[in-house]
Amino acid sequence: MFNKSEKKKKGPAVAIGIATLAVYGAYSMVSKIKGMTTDKISGLMCRMKKKKGEGECDCESEDCD
């Protein structure tokens, strides 16, 4: 089959698969960071409204107690 000095060449399908997994991982990481940031900012805005006395808190998170 192959000698020790010969390397088995990998097809382009392997490179495409690895690139696809990398892109999917990056997309999911960015979307999770965006979701966490949006939740924290909305909680912060809700607390700021509550401190100013502009009415009740409208957010649905538990941080507005």
Side-chain angles (χ1 to χ4, degrees), residues 2 5 7 16 30-31 41 44 47-49 61 63:
F2 293 105
S5 61
K7 292 184 178 180
I16 292 171
V30 167
S31 65
I41 290 175
L44 177 66
R47 286 194 301 268
M48 287 173 61
K49 282 183 180 180
S61 65
D63 295 336

Side-chain angles (χ1 to χ4, degrees), residues 6 9 13-15 19 23 26-28 32 43-44 50 57 62 65:
E6 294 179 15
K9 295 182 180 179
V14 175
V23 169
Y27 174 77
S28 64
K32 285 184 181 186
L44 177 66
K50 195 172 183 179
C57 185
E62 296 176 5
D65 294 355

Side-chain angles (χ1 to χ4, degrees):
M1 282 179 91
F2 293 105
N3 293 334
K4 290 183 180 180
S5 61
E6 294 179 15
K7 292 184 178 180
K8 184 178 178 182
K9 295 182 180 179
K10 296 183 171 121
V14 175
I16 292 171
I18 291 172
T20 303
L21 287 174
V23 169
Y24 176 73
Y27 174 77
S28 64
M29 183 175 64
V30 167
S31 65
K32 285 184 181 186
I33 290 172
K34 180 182 172 188
M36 287 178 10
T37 305
T38 304
D39 290 343
K40 294 209 183 244
I41 290 175
S42 65
L44 177 66
M45 295 299 287
C46 181
R47 286 194 301 268
M48 287 173 61
K49 282 183 180 180
K50 195 172 183 179
K51 284 182 183 178
K52 287 184 179 180
E54 294 180 0
E56 292 296 320
C57 185
D58 296 340
C59 67
E60 299 172 358
S61 65
E62 296 176 5
D63 295 336
C64 298
D65 294 355

